[in-house]
Amino acid sequence: MEKRLIKKDALAGIVKKIGEELTVFAPVKVEDNILFKALEKGEEPLTVYANTKNAPKHVFFPRSEILLRYVRTPKGVELKSEDVASPEAVLFGVRPCDARSFVLLDMLFDQEKYKDPYYILKRAKTTVVSLSCAHPPYSSCFCTSVGGNPTDAAGADILLTDLGEQYLAEFMSPKGEKLVRYFGDAKADDAADKKKEAVAAQAEKEIASHVPAKEIKPILDVNFEHPFWNTIHQKCLACGTCTYLCPTCHCFDISDEMKYDDGRRLRNWDSCMFPIFTKETSGHNPRPTQKERWRQRAMHKFKYYVDNFDAIACVGCGRCVMYCPVNIDIRKIVTDISKL
């Protein structure tokens, strides 16, 4: 594995140089928020920040995307084109929790039997540059409780670790190694590896939140009708903030739009928190209240995904905790389930 040492003040310039040849998505300040977005010409990415408000999953799984176009003719409906083209890109500054979410989404969108060509193509053409958390940014971070850690390389093609005056750049995949030329010639030595080990150990110690996420699956297996589900949903507004900011939530709706004889099929993000998410044409809704919807959210992340893929569908980023307008805390819910 290739490794390089780069000066801290050189990092933004490296990203700008990559951006001269490739599309780069990176954290930038937009009004009061830090968001992942495509860098415009001359725009510099943030290299010092806590985390972005939005998860970077939209690079591979856009909020709204055209799946195909069609036209109505006298002979019937004809397919015009499929918008599956995707340019090569770099996704820079991804925190390890968010990079790990890509591994979890891969399990769903790139299965042996079921494959999503739109997601897979974007994923294959994008190089993920992860920036490890030398100091976990929030008290709500709980990545170590769900199988991650602040310096985890899962999902990253290049992993950057803050060693003080320099970054250690580790090129984790062939995609990452294609960008080695941008990172200079200062190869990392054993001393850098040992320093990284110390940084990783300290960062893990600084994680303040610990929840029994790995322990609740057997409890959920036998408590679908437990009275507990009546206790967690009352103040939920069904706003969908938790699902739209979550790095691993992936529910979507597909709709057709037509103007005269031209049509297009769209895939749009959806949310299991919305009342109409499961409403059927007949008017029947198998999840009629927030009780059933919140039960589904918890079951999906900590039981169903484990059943299907042997992985918890949560990376412990804490966004749903920080941005819920009524302070519903998934950490407390998981802890309470562990006591059933």
Side-chain angles (χ1 to χ4, degrees):
M1 178 173 58
E2 291 282 348
K3 299 181 183 181
R4 295 288 189 273
L5 288 171
I6 57 173
K7 293 181 180 179
K8 275 189 167 181
D9 58 7
L11 184 57
I14 290 171
V15 178
K16 284 182 69 176
K17 195 169 183 180
I18 295 172
E20 293 173 2
E21 299 181 22
L22 302 170
T23 300
V24 174
F25 297 89
V28 296
K29 189 165 185 180
V30 180
E31 297 180 349
D32 294 330
N33 297 310
I34 297 173
L35 303 174
F36 273 106
K37 64 181 288 288
L39 293 183
E40 299 175 7
K41 189 174 182 180
E43 189 174 20
E44 286 201 9
L46 293 176
T47 58
V48 179
Y49 60 96
N51 202 0
T52 56
K53 185 173 185 177
N54 64 332
K57 68 180 178 184
H58 69 278
V59 174
F60 306 132
F61 175 45
R63 295 181 188 91
S64 181
E65 66 180 321
I66 299 171
L67 301 182
L68 56 88
R69 298 179 188 273
Y70 53 90
V71 62
R72 186 165 51 198
T73 72
K75 296 181 179 179
V77 175
E78 294 181 2
L79 187 66
K80 287 176 63 177
S81 66
E82 295 185 28
D83 293 353
V84 294
S86 180
E88 289 194 18
V90 170
L91 178 52
F92 168 79
V94 180
R95 292 301 185 188
C97 55
D98 289 334
R100 189 167 173 271
S101 76
F102 303 147
V103 177
L104 296 172
L105 291 174
D106 289 346
M107 295 175 182
L108 178 82
F109 288 117
D110 192 7
Q111 302 178 48
E112 183 177 348
K113 185 175 181 180
Y114 303 106
K115 294 184 179 293
D116 186 311
Y118 307 92
Y119 173 92
I120 292 171
L121 182 61
K122 294 181 185 72
R123 185 84 165 89
K125 289 200 169 186
T126 303
T127 302
V128 177
V129 182
S130 187
L131 185 58
S132 61
C133 298
H135 301 286
Y138 304 116
S139 62
S140 55
C141 295
F142 61 101
C143 61
T144 54
S145 296
V146 290
N149 68 71
T151 57
D152 193 358
D157 299 299
I158 301 173
L159 177 65
L160 302 174
T161 303
D162 185 348
L163 300 184
E165 296 181 358
Q166 297 173 305
Y167 285 109
L168 170 64
E170 298 175 275
F171 299 85
M172 314 299 299
S173 73
K175 279 197 295 184
E177 289 175 353
K178 289 181 180 179
L179 300 182
V180 168
R181 58 191 173 92
Y182 293 101
F183 288 81
D185 300 320
K187 294 192 175 183
D189 54 15
D190 291 342
D193 288 337
K194 290 180 180 178
K195 197 165 188 179
K196 184 203 169 181
E197 290 176 7
V199 168
Q202 179 59 33
E204 195 160 338
K205 289 179 183 178
E206 291 180 19
I207 294 290
S209 292
H210 301 278
V211 297
K214 298 177 183 178
E215 301 169 18
I216 65 170
K217 200 268 183 185
I219 300 171
L220 293 173
D221 285 342
V222 295
N223 282 290
F224 188 82
E225 299 291 352
H226 197 282
F228 169 77
W229 301 115
N230 292 311
T231 68
I232 64 174
H233 70 281
Q234 287 93 339
K235 61 182 181 179
C236 178
L237 303 176
C239 65
T241 296
C242 55
T243 52
Y244 284 157
L245 295 183
C246 176
T248 62
C249 281
H250 50 264
C251 290
F252 59 83
D253 183 36
I254 293 178
S255 60
D256 283 4
E257 295 181 348
M258 290 202 71
K259 185 176 182 181
Y260 305 115
D261 289 330
D262 292 313
R264 62 182 187 173
R265 180 160 294 170
L266 295 168
R267 171 164 66 184
N268 303 299
W269 286 3
D270 207 340
S271 172
C272 61
M273 293 289 99
F274 294 162
I276 64 171
F277 180 70
T278 51
K279 191 172 183 180
E280 300 169 5
T281 306
S282 66
H284 173 65
N285 193 337
R287 296 183 200 146
T289 72
Q290 286 307 104
K291 167 194 169 181
E292 291 84 10
R293 295 164 204 148
W294 251 106
R295 179 175 61 193
Q296 164 64 21
R297 178 167 170 77
M299 287 281 190
H300 180 219
K301 290 192 172 295
F302 300 101
K303 170 177 160 50
Y304 303 148
Y305 221 78
V306 180
D307 285 336
N308 291 328
F309 304 113
D310 196 27
I312 295 172
C314 172
V315 294
C317 69
R319 286 183 178 91
C320 63
V321 177
M322 291 188 291
Y323 296 110
C324 176
V326 292
N327 299 315
I328 295 176
D329 191 330
I330 192 68
R331 299 171 300 173
K332 183 179 186 305
I333 290 171
V334 169
T335 301
D336 289 346
I337 291 172
S338 73
K339 299 175 183 177
L340 295 181

